[in-house]
């Protein structure tokens, strides 16, 4: 094999695209040719350097919003509604029981989907440079920043004294809507606290679940749904949720 | 930009969201490198997703990512064509340059020392400076991790062409890398 041939084929070798026979031929050439061996090493180094550097871009939120807007909005799938109608054909009692049952099934399904999206949003935020739109450890800077950007005003509270440092805020996209994310840190762990409006003003106690290795603590209070997502252990995330709720109560009473 | 009524099927939209939206950052990244302009990239990706949704009924594979990329590439080609007629057309290599053997490109003997590492911005700049069609091939391989076969499908060229373009792209990038290294010394 000549150097000219090898200089093309080493790339396919690096990429694992050569069949065994050709791979052996190229390897044999590279072993006996200092020039091609050095070249191949450099190409591998460049490849490694690119793989390890931040060369990707994140789609702007506005683009995500525009695409979402152009698609038909999600609704409960018709198949589920026909299940509901099917049940309703029975007696009034069983229909009511069935409605309750189906409502639970639907809600769980919906919650599952939203939890998935919340974890995806958390993952997106961890890509370099995408975590925070407004950088500040001051709640009086972060809170006004959300004004006019969302239909809700997410509570932004300082939990530094409780061991969770406020580092900023961000707009994100969950369940086909813009959503506020308040970002905290404990040691090297990021906590995204997603806040969205809900029609239901009833308080719902916190639940912790795990998805794709992340812990999620979700609760509802005074017309807002909260999801705290982090790679922190469940115990520490629970502590975060408890302290957040306790501080909210204290603020309200105080 | 509103999808017409016959397309208005929430179940289809849900399947499309789940299948295609996870690749939004990938698509945007590709568009940024192909068009080298943030606003044009945004428009191209939006157009790509609309076309993809329109044709989603007939989608049977390949994998979603190369399928989206093939659509996106067509959108970007149209944008090239538009720019060509505009006064600020980007330079394209004249036909035939692609056949230039790369051993004319960077004859210097490789040095023993390790290559210098650059920050993300510098690497992006070096990649963005590659000429088409080498940039496209390079980005599909090194940043999007497509196989040669998938790249060939996206770019509508034979696999052999993918291999030679990639070899050229890496040789050009290596020269640019060494030049940058020389400059910051």
């Amino acid at each position: 094999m000549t150097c000219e041939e090898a200089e093309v084929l080493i790339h396919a070798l690096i990429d694992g695209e050569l069949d065994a026979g050709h791979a052996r031929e190229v390897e044999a050439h590279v072993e006996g040719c200092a020039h091609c061996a050095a070249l191949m090493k450099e190409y591998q180094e460049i490849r490694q350097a690119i793989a390890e550097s931040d060369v990707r871009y994140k789609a702007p939120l506005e683009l995500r919003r525009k695409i979402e807007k152009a698609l038909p909005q999600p609704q409960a799938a018709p198949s589920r509604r026909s299940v509901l109608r099917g049940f309703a054909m029975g007696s009034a009692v069983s229909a009511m029981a069935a409605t309750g049952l189906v409502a639970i099934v639907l809600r769980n399904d919906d919650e599952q989907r939203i939890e998935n999206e919340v974890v995806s949003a958390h993952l997106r935020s961890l890509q370099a440079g995408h975590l925070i739109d407004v950088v500040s450890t001051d709640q009086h800077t972060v809170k006004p920043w959300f004004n006019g950007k969302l239909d809700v005003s997410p509570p932004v509270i300082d939990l530094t004294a409780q061991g969770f440092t406020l580092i900023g805020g961000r707009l994100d996209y969950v369940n086909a809507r813009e959503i506020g994310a308040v970002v905290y840190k404990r040691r090297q762990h990021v906590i995204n606290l997603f806040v969205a409006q809900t029609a239901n003003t009833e308080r719902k106690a916190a639940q912790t679940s795990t998805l794709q290795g992340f812990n999620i603590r979700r609760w509802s209070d005074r017309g807002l749904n909260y999801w705290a997502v982090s790679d922190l252990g469940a115990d520490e995330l629970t502590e975060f949720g408890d302290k957040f709720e306790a501080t909210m109560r204290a603020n309200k009473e105080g | 930009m509103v999808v017409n009524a016959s397309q208005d099927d929430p179940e289809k939209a849900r399947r499309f969201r789940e299948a295609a939206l996870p690749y939004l950052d990938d698509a945007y990244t590709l568009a940024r490198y192909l068009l080298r302009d943030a606003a044009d990239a945004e428009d191209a990706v939006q157009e790509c997703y609309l076309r993809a949704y329109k044709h989603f009924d007939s989608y049977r594979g390949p994998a979603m990512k190369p399928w989206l990329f093939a659509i996106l590439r067509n959108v970007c080609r149209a944008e090239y064509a538009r720019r060509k007629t505009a006064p600020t057309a980007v330079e394209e290599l004249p036909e035939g340059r692609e056949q230039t053997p790369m051993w004319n490109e960077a004859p210097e003997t490789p040095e023993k020392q390790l290559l210098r590492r650059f920050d993300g911005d510098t690497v992006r700049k070096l990649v963005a400076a590659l000429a088409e069609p080498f940039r496209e091939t390079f980005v599909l391989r090194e940043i999007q991790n497509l196989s040669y076969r998938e790249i060939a499908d996206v770019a509508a060229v034979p696999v052999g062409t993918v291999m030679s373009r990639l070899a050229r792209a890496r040789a050009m990038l290596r020269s640019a890398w060494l030049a940058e290294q020389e400059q910051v010394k």
Side-chain angles (χ1 to χ4, degrees), chain B:
Chain B
M1 166 181 102
V2 171
V3 179
N4 73 43
S6 67
Q7 298 280 335
D8 194 16
D9 172 358
E11 176 58 20
K12 177 184 169 189
R14 188 190 62 76
R15 281 188 294 114
F16 180 74
R17 269 196 185 81
E18 278 176 15
L21 277 182
Y23 299 108
L24 186 59
D25 287 345
D26 290 327
Y28 181 69
T29 298
L30 179 60
R32 281 295 293 264
Y33 280 108
L34 290 184
L35 296 173
R36 299 193 283 209
D37 179 275
D40 286 351
E42 228 180 283
D43 290 348
V45 171
Q46 188 178 342
E47 177 64 24
C48 159
Y49 270 80
L50 282 194
R51 287 195 199 176
Y53 182 67
K54 233 168 102 184
H55 297 110
F56 189 53
D57 287 329
S58 57
Y59 167 71
R60 300 280 180 276
M64 177 51 70
K65 192 158 118 170
W67 185 71
L68 279 174
F69 283 0
I71 297 172
L72 181 59
R73 181 179 180 274
N74 285 338
V75 175
C76 291
R77 305 297 298 179
E79 172 62 20
Y80 291 155
R82 193 190 64 78
R83 284 182 188 179
K84 259 196 184 136
T85 60
T88 54
V90 288
E91 83 294 349
E92 287 252 9
L93 278 191
E95 285 302 314
R97 257 303 286 281
E98 201 179 320
Q99 268 62 49
T100 314
M102 78 190 124
W103 45 94
N104 290 349
E105 183 77 17
E108 75 265 42
T109 9
E111 294 171 30
K112 284 254 153 54
Q113 65 161 112
L114 287 180
L115 282 171
R116 201 192 140 94
R117 291 290 172 112
F118 296 119
D119 59 84
D121 281 346
T122 307
V123 177
R124 287 182 199 204
K125 191 191 78 185
L126 292 175
V127 173
L130 291 174
E132 277 304 351
F134 309 107
R135 184 175 0 120
E136 173 184 89
T137 312
F138 186 83
V139 170
L140 289 173
R141 173 64 222 150
E142 298 288 44
I143 300 179
Q144 307 285 4
N145 279 318
L146 263 52
S147 70
Y148 286 12
R149 179 74 254 165
E150 287 172 325
I151 298 171
D153 288 345
V154 170
V157 293
V159 174
T161 306
V162 172
M163 195 171 4
S164 64
R165 281 182 183 174
L166 188 61
R168 275 274 288 164
R170 285 196 180 131
M172 290 193 290
L173 185 71
R174 174 179 164 265
S175 301
W177 199 286
L178 294 173
E180 182 79 22
Q181 193 162 312
E182 208 48 47
Q183 227 172 42
V184 295
K185 231 172 218 170

Side-chain angles (χ1 to χ4, degrees), chain A:
Chain A
M1 179 176 294
T2 65
C3 284
E4 289 170 10
E5 288 165 334
E7 282 182 19
V8 175
L9 290 175
I10 52 176
H11 296 283
L13 182 66
I14 292 172
D15 292 322
E17 296 265 358
L18 283 185
D19 60 49
H22 283 96
R24 266 196 302 277
E25 271 182 55
V26 179
E27 278 163 354
H29 174 88
V30 169
E31 256 171 52
C33 173
H35 170 80
C36 288
L39 260 183
M40 183 160 130
K41 188 161 173 291
E42 276 192 359
Y43 288 136
Q44 279 167 324
E45 274 174 37
I46 291 179
R47 182 147 201 257
Q48 187 68 21
I50 289 173
E52 285 167 12
S53 52
D54 181 26
V55 292
R56 304 176 54 78
Y57 293 90
K58 190 195 177 201
L61 188 69
E62 179 60 18
L63 173 61
R64 193 173 288 272
R65 202 183 60 74
K66 275 193 268 183
I67 292 172
E68 285 277 5
K69 228 177 167 172
L71 297 174
Q73 288 312 298
Q75 299 168 6
S79 57
R80 292 196 204 108
R81 253 184 278 130
S82 52
V83 169
L84 186 62
R85 267 199 300 276
F87 275 116
M89 304 273 267
S91 73
V93 176
S94 70
M96 273 169 67
T99 308
L101 181 71
V102 173
I104 291 164
V105 169
L106 284 182
R107 191 149 54 232
N108 283 343
D109 209 46
D110 234 25
E111 275 172 16
Q112 188 68 48
R113 181 177 56 78
I114 291 173
E115 281 193 355
N116 263 311
E117 288 195 25
V118 163
V119 168
S120 301
H122 178 74
L123 277 169
R124 277 201 304 275
S125 79
L126 297 180
Q127 296 177 357
H130 304 317
L131 186 58
I132 317 176
D133 290 333
V134 54
V135 184
S136 175
T137 54
D138 180 1
Q139 52 182 319
H140 303 296
T141 305
V142 177
K143 187 162 173 64
W145 179 84
F146 281 112
N147 287 345
K149 296 189 173 71
L150 289 169
D151 50 2
V152 292
S153 174
V156 179
I157 54 180
D158 189 0
L159 296 170
T160 310
Q162 286 91 332
F164 299 94
T165 319
L166 173 68
I167 59 171
R170 183 181 77 251
L171 284 184
D172 217 309
Y173 218 88
V174 168
N175 197 23
R177 287 177 56 183
E178 271 170 328
I179 188 170
V182 185
V183 189
Y184 293 88
K185 221 168 187 178
R186 163 166 273 193
R187 300 186 304 277
Q188 286 315 303
H189 304 279
V190 170
I191 303 167
N192 268 300
L193 179 64
F194 297 95
V195 185
Q197 199 170 24
T198 163
N200 192 346
T201 54
E202 202 180 301
R203 189 175 176 283
K204 250 196 272 167
Q207 290 180 340
T208 307
S209 51
T210 305
L211 200 68
Q212 296 172 33
F214 293 96
N215 285 309
I216 307 164
R217 189 165 175 86
R218 93 170 284 276
W219 68 93
S220 306
D221 194 18
R222 265 168 274 165
L224 294 176
N225 283 331
Y226 297 87
W227 296 263
V229 188
S230 180
D231 60 340
L232 270 179
D235 48 339
E236 283 186 283
L237 193 62
T238 302
E239 184 191 336
F240 170 79
D242 289 349
K243 292 201 162 142
F244 184 93
E245 290 199 88
T247 310
M248 286 290 287
R249 274 196 297 278
N251 283 356
K252 188 193 162 208
E253 286 152 16

